[in-house]
Amino acid sequence: MNDPKNIRNIAIIAHVDHGKTTLVDGLLKQSNTFRDNQAEMGQELIMDSGDQERERGITITAKVTAVQHDDYRINIIDTPGHADFSGEVERTLNMADGCILIVDAQEGPMPQTKFVLGKALAAELRPIVIINKIDKPGSRVQEVEDELADLFLELAVHEDQLHYPVYYAIGRAGKAWDHMPADPDEEADLSVVFDAIINKIPAPTVELDKPFQMLVTALSWDTYKGKYAVGRITRGQIKAGDQVVLCKKDGTQSKAKVELVFMSRGVAKFEVPQGIAGDIVQLTGISEAQIGETIADAANPEALPVLEVEAP
């Protein structure tokens, strides 16, 4: 994919146990991101991959997954729902252009939803709201809609953010509607959510022809390739073998060479010949990279502002 117009970067926000990870799993399965045997590996929550996360049923580290829908590549950034992980939340939102807020139809918006949504709206992300679990016996959709309206009034940074689309879902069954269904058992899938992401969330605003620049927003590691620097390319493009400069937090610079460029597909990563501005990539070969530092073009190294994460 060489056209940033076909990329969508969205963060998913929800309070613990409001069904965020289940909904993302539904999007992954319905975009045919998996071969049939992969989706059935007995692991229901594909996104919660850490041992602690499975044991506690919560998302701790922000993860990026990607689905292909028609000609669009949708990067889905799963944010932690706990305010304790505020540093993760702030860094993550930096990679997105829009956000999906998932709210339980019975519990309504909760304190941690408010915390992360406040950060998202301050970062001027375009919101989409999904009221999930509408089939619960105690669901009170109308009241939850009113509570959401109050929440947005309190948190919105400008008036546009008060006009957000609302969808109704049963994440567990992989169904969503753009209106409240008369019968939750009626046939449906998640196509309205895919359409909302493509039509309501803006494409990344980028400069393809400028020198390469990327802020490191996360790190990952494996035994084969060592450290991966993860981030969204702010401008330019990057290929395996390119010379780059790492602009460190203390103002010093060090040279490095990109060994390989990876992207996500589902929850796996795969090697690609190049990454373009607006997309989220994982680079190997830059072993000194730390979160908040900039990887820049070797001939023209300009640092982005260092990401300062507020103290816990």
Side-chain angles (χ1 to χ4, degrees):
M1 177 166 298
N2 294 320
D3 187 355
K5 288 202 231 13
N6 286 6
I7 297 171
R8 296 289 182 275
N9 296 321
I10 56 159
I12 295 229
I13 299 170
H15 188 78
V16 181
D17 211 28
H18 279 201
K20 170 182 60 171
T21 307
T22 316
L23 195 83
V24 173
D25 284 1
L27 292 172
L28 288 172
K29 287 173 183 166
Q30 289 189 26
S31 62
N32 299 327
T33 303
F34 300 116
R35 298 191 306 275
D36 293 342
N37 60 337
Q38 281 178 296
E40 304 306 326
M41 290 193 308
Q43 178 192 333
E44 265 304 286
L45 298 178
I46 299 159
M47 288 296 280
D48 279 345
S49 49
D51 296 340
Q52 278 277 333
E53 295 180 308
R54 289 223 195 101
E55 185 182 317
R56 294 160 71 178
I58 59 171
T59 303
I60 297 174
T61 52
K63 295 175 205 62
V64 178
T65 182
V67 300
Q68 195 71 28
H69 183 71
D70 299 336
D71 296 336
Y72 292 87
R73 178 179 159 76
I74 302 170
N75 289 310
I76 300 173
I77 307 148
D78 192 15
T79 61
H82 280 66
D84 316 349
F85 310 119
S86 63
E88 278 287 324
V89 170
E90 285 176 61
R91 293 202 307 270
T92 311
L93 296 176
N94 199 47
M95 295 194 277
D97 301 294
C99 62
I100 291 185
L101 172 67
I102 300 171
V103 178
D104 184 298
Q106 183 178 350
E107 295 183 359
M110 303 285 274
Q112 277 147 1
T113 320
K114 181 177 175 179
F115 169 80
V116 186
L117 181 66
K119 297 273 182 212
L121 295 180
E124 304 212 350
L125 303 190
R126 191 77 57 79
I128 289 173
V129 172
I130 295 179
I131 298 179
N132 194 20
K133 305 189 185 184
I134 56 170
D135 57 334
K136 267 188 168 182
S139 79
R140 41 182 198 96
V141 173
Q142 190 62 56
E143 288 165 49
V144 169
E145 285 182 2
D146 295 343
E147 288 168 18
L148 281 164
D150 293 344
L151 185 65
F152 272 87
L153 267 174
E154 185 184 336
L155 299 175
V157 183
H158 48 73
E159 200 179 324
D160 290 357
Q161 292 174 330
L162 298 175
H163 307 293
Y164 50 87
V166 180
Y167 297 88
Y168 306 87
I170 305 171
R172 204 184 49 238
K175 297 177 176 182
W177 296 265
D178 55 5
H179 58 278
M180 186 63 192
D183 176 12
D185 292 332
E186 69 183 57
E187 280 298 302
D189 57 16
L190 294 174
S191 52
V192 294
V193 177
F194 283 117
D195 294 345
I197 293 168
I198 288 162
N199 299 323
K200 313 275 188 198
I201 304 283
T205 323
V206 290
E207 301 169 307
L208 263 182
D209 44 0
K210 294 278 181 77
F212 173 73
Q213 198 179 39
M214 176 182 118
L215 190 67
V216 180
T217 35
L219 300 171
S220 70
W221 192 86
D222 70 28
T223 41
Y224 301 104
K225 302 278 189 285
K227 185 188 274 187
Y228 295 81
V230 183
R232 168 179 161 167
I233 302 175
T234 313
R235 61 181 201 201
Q237 32 203 320
I238 192 77
K239 294 190 298 295
D242 280 359
Q243 297 293 332
V244 291
V245 165
L246 178 66
C247 306
K248 299 188 180 175
K249 289 182 179 175
D250 59 7
T252 60
Q253 297 184 341
S254 68
K255 292 187 173 172
K257 178 181 169 185
V258 175
E259 283 174 10
L260 296 168
V261 182
F262 289 88
M263 283 184 188
S264 301
R265 179 184 292 137
V267 284
K269 40 181 165 300
F270 66 104
E271 199 180 321
V272 291
Q274 68 162 13
I276 61 160
D279 218 335
I280 295 173
V281 294
Q282 309 184 26
L283 307 178
T284 63
I286 307 160
S287 57
E288 292 180 17
Q290 295 300 325
I291 287 170
E293 298 179 339
T294 303
I295 300 169
D297 183 73
N300 194 353
E302 287 178 58
L304 287 156
V306 173
L307 261 185
E308 290 300 341
V309 173
E310 63 183 51

